[in-house]
Structure formats: structure tokens, C-alpha cells
Amino acid sequence: MSSAQNPSPETADQAGPRPVRLTAAAALAGLEGLALVVGGVWMLVLGLTGEPDDRQQAVTGGVTLIVLALLPLLAAQGLLARRSWSRGPAIITQIMALPVAYNLLQADSMSIPAGIALAVVAVAALVLLINAETTRALGIRGPGNAEK
């Protein structure tokens, strides 16, 4: 039989239904990307229409947030499509979110709930992304487990 008629176990894992953990990880990454887009657009609008201290800084910050949103949004799309490359950007996004959450927790009382929410989302996403079921669904093999 050809390999198309008799798939390997790795291909069979990817052909089945998408694991709930993988879908949840993609949803969290997408949520983070969406939050970055909203924050970036808000900064842009306030920078262009309001009276910011420094209009150029507000516009630059807004554009930066929108560009940064591409990483988790692409990762979320890749996770939903079961692309093995997508786990790296998703993990990087969560690692970058943890210091931001810490800084929000150290700021004024208005930022503390946002810091808590971001920390919870980042830790939950990391747990989902390193889960064995997610790794199998993405076709990622550990060191020494490459096909020969």
C-alpha cells in the first residue's frame, strides 16, 4: 500500500479531530492578538484626534501595537490549521506577555486587573501549548524522535 492509503501514526494524529487544548490555545493567542489590535487602534485614534503629550509617540505606539498583533494572530491561525511552526510564535507571545503582566501588576490600581488577566491567559496558554496532546496534534517530535 502507498503511504497515502496507510498513513503513519503521526499523520493519523493530525488527520483526526482537533484537540480541545489546541483550539483553546489558538483562541487565547487570537484573543491576545485582538487585544493588541484594539489597543493599537485606540492609541492611534487618541494620538490623531486627541491632545496627547507627544502625537508622534502616540502614533508610533499605536502602529507598533498593531504590528505586534501579527505574531499572535498568525500563531492562532497556524494552530487552528495544525501547522507545527505556529507553536514557536505562540510560546514566544506568552513569554513576552509575562513581563508585561508583571509591570501592570506593579502599576496603579487601575492596571492590576489587566495584569492579573494577562498573567492568567499567558500561563494558561503556555500550559496548553506544551501539553503532549497539543504537541502530537501539531506533529512535533522531541529530540531523538525524528523519522529515519
Side-chain angles (χ1 to χ4, degrees):
M1 285 188 166
S2 72
S3 63
Q5 294 172 346
N6 190 11
S8 68
E10 293 85 8
T11 308
D13 282 348
Q14 288 186 324
R18 184 184 316 113
V20 174
R21 290 181 175 109
L22 182 58
T23 304
L28 291 175
L31 179 66
E32 288 171 328
L34 182 61
L36 285 168
V37 168
V38 169
V41 169
W42 185 24
M43 282 182 73
L44 266 175
V45 169
L46 289 177
L48 294 173
T49 63
E51 293 295 325
D53 293 337
D54 185 353
R55 185 175 309 270
Q56 183 177 358
Q57 186 177 10
V59 170
T60 302
V63 170
T64 301
L65 284 180
I66 292 169
V67 170
L68 283 174
L70 293 175
L71 185 65
L73 291 173
L74 287 172
Q77 186 274 333
L79 290 170
L80 287 175
R82 291 182 164 182
R83 305 288 186 238
S84 61
W85 60 261
S86 62
R87 190 172 84 154
I91 288 174
I92 289 168
T93 299
Q94 306 321 314
I95 291 171
M96 289 181 353
L98 291 173
V100 174
Y102 179 78
N103 283 333
L104 289 171
L105 290 170
Q106 302 303 312
D108 64 20
S109 61
M110 296 295 289
S111 299
I112 292 174
I116 292 169
L118 182 57
V120 167
V121 167
V123 170
L126 279 171
V127 168
L128 292 168
L129 288 165
I130 62 172
N131 183 277
E133 184 180 349
T134 301
T135 302
R136 272 192 305 278
L138 292 173
I140 297 171
R141 292 179 210 80
N145 293 326
E147 287 185 28
K148 296 178 182 179

